[in-house]
């Protein structure tokens, strides 16, 4: 059997030439008649009539068959195939229809992609506005409100994350999946206080959320203390704590009006990577790679209510952000261990100075990392209180070993006025006093939370 599916069909040795001549004579057709009916070129027809070809293209045979009013198989002198395969003419039409549908589908996909893509090119950036208990997104071009989210508590902190939304069906062609996610947390003046939300910044769609870990808070601080206050989302920070190139979210939660606070680390999906509880307010947060291992360490500053009312600075990382600020002397707790890498306590000033400052306890309000020409880090923390005015700056090594304490100009002025007004005889801004005060600090490392006695405030240097 001759190959009727190939592009060229072998006709030499077949009845093809004889059948063409017979049908031409039977139908009394001239060469011009055949050319008009078949649409063949004169050269092609001449080669067939003079039998100068061994093979003929299949579509040429089909044109000749149509010209004579017979089928492909009759002209070739073959029996039709016994299977259900369509004849060459039907097969050709089927392929043409398939190509047409493929073209239509391609054009449709291009149109859909363009429809999704053009708004992304033309869309204006979305501005986020906090209005009390409402947060909304509006177009920066025409000011139109695109989305709103209402809560029972006031929106307290917001931050744009480095994370993108899930890609979805059309991936980043979809303009609503191109903008980074928005993170925000609530104050404590409603039943939803202290909740954390991560939303699509362009649409307001909720991606994930978290709420205060009340069972763990009760376990660490006791039921009475927790049930008589509400939790606040106080601070947000993004840092790459595991070195994978994607930053994680670090959140400080604090209670209002009392002191329980904790630090929690989340990945982009909302999975909790670590939680550390502190026995006092945490008010400052910074993260940076201090040891050059490609992973960011976390510095958290605040106060310690149970540790001689001292200021506290915590050094945490990916592996050391669990448990709470407990030790065998100051805060024994059988159900908790302290997994902080380092915990530094800076003592209270003496009672007279605390009275002049009107402080209950010192508080670390600012944290900075300074680097020298060799990129070696030095940590600088600022002691202050709720008015955020720094009184004393302390320089620390990267392992939180205190090195030097410097009074600010503001504190020097205050100390001079106190002496001039007869409120004290001590120059509390003197380097001698601050050096002696700094010697009362207590530094603990993971696994070594033992102390013989509670650090004491130093006496007056008279």
């Amino acid at each position: 059997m001759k190959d009727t599916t190939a592009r060229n069909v072998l006709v030499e040795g077949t009845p093809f030439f004889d059948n063409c001549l017979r049908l031409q004579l039977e139908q009394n057709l001239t060469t011009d008649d055949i050319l008009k009916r078949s649409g063949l070129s004169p050269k092609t027809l001449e080669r067939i009539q003079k039998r100068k070809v061994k093979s003929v293209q299949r579509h040429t045979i089909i044109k000749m068959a149509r010209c004579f009013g017979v089928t492909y198989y009759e002209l070739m002198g073959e029996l039709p195939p016994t299977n259900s395969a369509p004849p060459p003419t039907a097969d050709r039409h089927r392929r043409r229809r398939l190509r047409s549908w493929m073209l239509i589908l391609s054009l449709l996909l291009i149109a859909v992609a363009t429809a999704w893509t053009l708004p992304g090119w033309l869309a204006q950036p979305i501005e986020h506005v906090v209005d009390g208990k409402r947060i909304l997104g509006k177009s920066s071009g025409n000011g139109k409100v695109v989305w709103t989210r209402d809560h029972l508590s006031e929106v307290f902190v917001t931050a744009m994350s480095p994370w993108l939304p899930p890609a979805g069906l059309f991936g980043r062609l979809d303009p609503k999946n191109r903008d980074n996610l928005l993170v925000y947390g609530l104050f404590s003046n409603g039943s939803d206080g202290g909740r954390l939300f991560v939303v699509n910044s362009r649409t307001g769609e909720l991606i994930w959320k978290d709420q205060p870990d009340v069972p763990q808070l009760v376990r660490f601080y006791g039921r009475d203390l927790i049930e008589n206050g509400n939790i606040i989302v106080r601070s947000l920070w993004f840092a790459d704590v595991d070195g994978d190139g994607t930053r994680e979210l670090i959140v400080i939660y604090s209670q209002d009006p009392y002191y329980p606070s904790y630090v929690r680390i989340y990945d982009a999906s909302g999975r909790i990577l670590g939680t550390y509880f502190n026995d006092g307010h945490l008010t400052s947060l910074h993260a940076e790679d201090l040891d050059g291992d490609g992973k960011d360490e976390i510095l958290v500053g605040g106060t310690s209510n149970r540790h001689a009312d001292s200021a506290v600075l915590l050094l945490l990382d990916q592996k050391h952000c669990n448990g709470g600020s407990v030790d065998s002397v100051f805060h024994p707790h059988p159900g908790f261990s302290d997994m902080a890498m380092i915990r530094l306590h800076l003592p209270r000033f003496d009672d007279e100075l605390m009275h002049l400052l009107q402080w209950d306890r010192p508080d670390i309000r600012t944290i900075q990392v300074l680097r020298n020409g060799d990129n070696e880090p030095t940590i600088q923390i600022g002691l202050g209180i709720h008015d955020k005015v720094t009184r004393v700056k302390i320089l620390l090594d990267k392992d939180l070993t205190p090195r030097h304490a410097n009074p600010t100009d503001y504190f020097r002025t205050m100390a001079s006025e106190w002496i001039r007004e007869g409120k004290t005889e001590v120059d509390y801004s003197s380097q001698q006093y601050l050096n002696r005060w700094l010697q009362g600090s207590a530094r603990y490392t993971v696994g070594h939370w033992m102390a013989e006695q509670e650090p004491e405030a130093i006496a007056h240097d008279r």
Side-chain angles (χ1 to χ4, degrees):
M1 178 180 291
K2 309 299 182 293
D3 184 4
T4 60
T5 60
R7 184 175 181 83
N8 291 317
V9 180
L10 182 65
V11 294
E12 185 180 31
T14 70
F16 171 72
F17 297 112
D18 294 337
N19 288 338
C20 287
L21 179 59
R22 177 178 57 81
L23 291 169
Q24 181 181 358
L25 295 174
E26 288 178 356
Q27 298 179 23
N28 195 25
L29 298 174
T30 65
T31 299
D32 290 339
D33 292 334
I34 296 175
L35 289 172
K36 291 179 181 180
R37 286 188 181 185
S38 65
L40 297 175
S41 67
K43 184 177 180 180
T44 300
L45 181 59
E46 179 183 2
R47 289 168 60 84
I48 292 174
Q49 289 177 335
K50 293 183 178 182
R51 306 189 183 202
K52 292 183 177 180
V53 293
K54 294 182 179 181
S55 62
V56 179
Q57 290 188 350
R58 186 178 60 185
H59 70 83
T60 299
I61 300 174
I62 294 173
K63 288 182 179 181
M64 292 291 289
R66 288 178 179 173
C67 171
F68 296 128
V70 296
T71 67
Y72 170 91
Y73 300 106
E74 289 173 336
L75 187 59
M76 291 294 295
E78 299 177 356
L79 293 175
T82 56
N83 56 29
S84 58
T89 53
D91 185 57
R92 184 186 65 176
H93 292 313
R94 182 181 63 82
R95 289 200 308 274
R96 284 183 176 177
R97 288 194 298 270
L98 180 60
R99 286 195 296 267
S100 299
W101 279 112
M102 290 179 65
L103 178 61
I104 292 172
L105 180 61
S106 298
L107 293 174
L108 180 61
L109 289 175
I110 292 173
V112 170
T114 303
W116 281 103
T117 304
L118 282 178
W121 297 338
L122 302 177
Q124 297 292 330
I126 299 297
E127 297 177 352
H128 305 105
V129 179
V130 174
D131 183 14
K133 301 177 181 180
R134 168 179 292 182
I135 185 170
L136 56 89
K138 67 177 183 179
S139 170
S140 62
N142 56 21
K144 180 181 178 181
V145 175
V146 179
W147 58 266
T148 61
R149 294 183 62 86
D150 293 304
H151 300 281
L152 300 175
S153 300
E154 294 180 1
V155 178
F156 191 61
V157 290
T158 65
M160 287 298 296
S161 79
W163 309 324
L164 289 173
L169 178 61
F170 292 97
R172 302 304 170 210
L173 289 176
D174 189 342
K176 75 175 185 292
N177 291 334
R178 295 178 185 172
D179 293 351
N180 290 16
L181 300 178
L182 174 69
V183 182
Y184 68 92
L186 304 183
F187 196 68
S188 61
N189 48 353
S191 58
D192 57 357
R195 293 189 180 182
L196 179 75
F197 296 88
V198 178
V199 301
N200 187 312
S201 60
R202 181 161 290 275
T203 66
E205 174 190 3
L206 178 66
I207 304 300
W208 57 267
K209 65 180 179 179
D210 194 21
Q211 60 187 23
D213 194 344
V214 174
Q216 283 289 78
L217 288 167
V218 168
R219 183 177 169 219
F220 189 79
Y221 299 105
R223 184 170 301 278
D224 291 342
L225 187 61
I226 297 303
E227 292 184 350
N228 285 286
N230 297 297
I231 301 298
I232 305 167
V233 179
R234 180 179 291 276
S235 301
L236 308 172
W237 193 284
F238 292 94
D240 185 6
V241 299
D242 55 10
D244 65 352
T246 300
R247 287 180 287 168
E248 286 72 41
L249 172 62
I250 306 166
V251 182
I252 291 180
Y253 293 87
S254 293
Q255 193 197 45
D256 179 44
Y258 303 112
Y259 64 82
S261 297
Y262 64 100
V263 183
R264 178 159 281 181
I265 306 174
Y266 301 88
D267 68 9
S269 68
R271 183 167 60 99
I272 298 171
L273 305 180
T275 305
Y276 184 92
F277 296 91
N278 183 59
D279 58 1
H281 280 302
L282 295 174
T283 53
S284 53
L285 176 62
H286 185 89
E288 193 169 328
D289 184 4
L290 299 176
D291 55 12
D293 65 350
K295 301 177 182 180
D296 290 336
E297 283 73 41
I298 305 168
L299 294 163
V300 189
T303 65
S304 175
N305 286 34
R306 296 176 177 176
H307 202 297
D309 287 335
S310 59
V312 65
L313 180 66
L314 305 169
L315 180 61
L316 312 173
D317 65 6
Q318 177 192 12
K319 296 180 179 180
H320 302 91
C321 187
N322 290 289
S325 53
V326 299
D327 55 62
S328 61
V329 174
F330 305 116
H331 183 196
H333 197 299
F336 273 84
S337 60
D338 193 332
M339 292 301 295
M341 192 185 310
I342 302 174
R343 173 156 50 98
L344 173 67
H345 289 271
L346 297 171
R348 284 170 53 92
F349 296 119
D350 72 298
D351 291 342
E352 182 182 68
L353 179 53
M354 295 297 291
H355 177 74
L356 291 170
L357 290 169
Q358 298 181 351
W359 287 5
D360 294 324
R361 59 187 62 84
D363 187 3
I364 296 176
R365 305 298 299 188
T366 62
I367 304 173
Q368 291 179 282
V369 175
L370 312 175
R371 295 185 181 269
N372 60 19
D374 295 326
N375 203 36
E376 296 173 341
T378 297
I379 301 167
Q380 177 179 275
I381 58 176
L383 242 58
I385 197 63
H386 302 298
D387 58 10
K388 298 184 180 180
V389 177
T390 299
R391 270 66 171 189
V392 179
K393 294 182 178 180
I394 300 99
L395 296 178
L396 315 166
D397 289 343
K398 65 182 181 181
D399 61 357
L400 304 196
T401 300
R403 293 304 181 195
H404 196 68
N406 295 313
T408 62
D409 291 341
Y410 178 80
F411 187 56
R412 284 194 180 96
T413 301
M414 292 178 63
S416 297
E417 291 179 354
W418 292 333
I419 294 175
R420 185 174 62 253
E421 295 171 359
K423 295 180 178 180
T424 181
E425 298 177 0
V426 181
D427 182 4
Y428 289 112
S429 67
S430 69
Q431 199 62 61
Q432 184 180 13
Y433 176 84
L434 292 176
N435 289 343
R436 288 186 57 194
W437 165 78
L438 195 59
Q439 291 174 4
S441 60
R443 177 180 171 277
Y444 306 99
T445 57
V446 62
H448 299 85
W449 307 114
M450 302 293 291
E452 295 181 357
Q453 62 180 7
E454 189 170 335
E456 298 178 355
I458 64 173
H460 287 184
D461 181 22
R462 298 185 186 275

